Amino acid sequence: MTEGVQTRQAEAEKRYDVFHTDCPARDVVDHVTSRWGIWVLISLRSKSLRFYELRESIQGISEKMLAQTLRALVQDGLVWREVEPTTPPQVTYGLTEFGQHVGEPLTELFDRITRRLSTDSTG
């Protein structure tokens, strides 16, 4: 019985080795750590936002890049998307439970960096 468990564990470890190009987790890691993926996750950490609110919260991002980044994060299951059938449609984005879990260390990293920078500038 333990042989089957060990085989499944070995297969899972091999399958999710992010150093291999065929690892399914690698795409998710790439999307999360992309130039804009991090900022989307940090922007959505405390509340859901409409597309234009999100774009305004991330200075320097184009509509095209925000749309591409959101599409990838939605597909990865990190961000949810809700469309209100109005004219024009109102689209709201927020973090899924998985997105909140993945975003926590990014938020902590961001907070540590900003705390450090603020103490360096006052010191």
Side-chain angles (χ1 to χ4, degrees):
M1 189 68 146
T2 51
E3 183 178 317
V5 172
Q6 289 173 342
T7 302
R8 282 194 300 265
Q9 287 174 340
E11 288 171 359
E13 288 173 14
K14 181 179 178 186
R15 183 173 171 213
Y16 294 106
D17 183 354
V18 294
F19 295 105
H20 288 263
T21 57
D22 61 346
C23 175
R26 192 170 183 160
D27 287 337
V28 177
V29 171
D30 287 345
H31 296 151
V32 168
T33 60
S34 71
R35 178 175 182 186
W36 300 113
I38 291 172
W39 299 116
V40 168
L41 294 176
I42 289 173
S43 293
L44 293 173
R45 67 184 167 186
S46 58
K47 63 180 178 178
S48 57
L49 296 170
R50 291 198 172 134
F51 182 87
Y52 289 104
E53 293 172 322
L54 190 52
R55 193 187 74 189
E56 289 176 14
S57 74
I58 307 171
Q59 292 185 3
I61 192 169
S62 67
E63 281 188 37
K64 178 182 176 183
M65 286 309 304
L66 179 57
Q68 287 177 355
T69 301
L70 286 167
R71 193 175 304 115
L73 295 174
V74 167
Q75 187 175 11
D76 293 337
L78 296 161
V79 172
W80 55 261
R81 178 181 188 265
E82 182 181 313
V83 180
E84 294 179 39
T86 59
T87 306
Q90 294 181 348
V91 184
T92 305
Y93 295 90
L95 294 180
T96 64
E97 186 177 332
F98 179 44
Q100 290 171 356
H101 186 71
V102 169
E104 286 174 15
L106 298 175
T107 298
E108 178 62 28
L109 175 65
F110 177 77
D111 291 344
R112 284 182 185 205
I113 291 170
T114 55
R115 280 194 303 270
R116 176 64 186 253
L117 291 175
S118 67
T119 59
D120 284 351
S121 64
T122 61

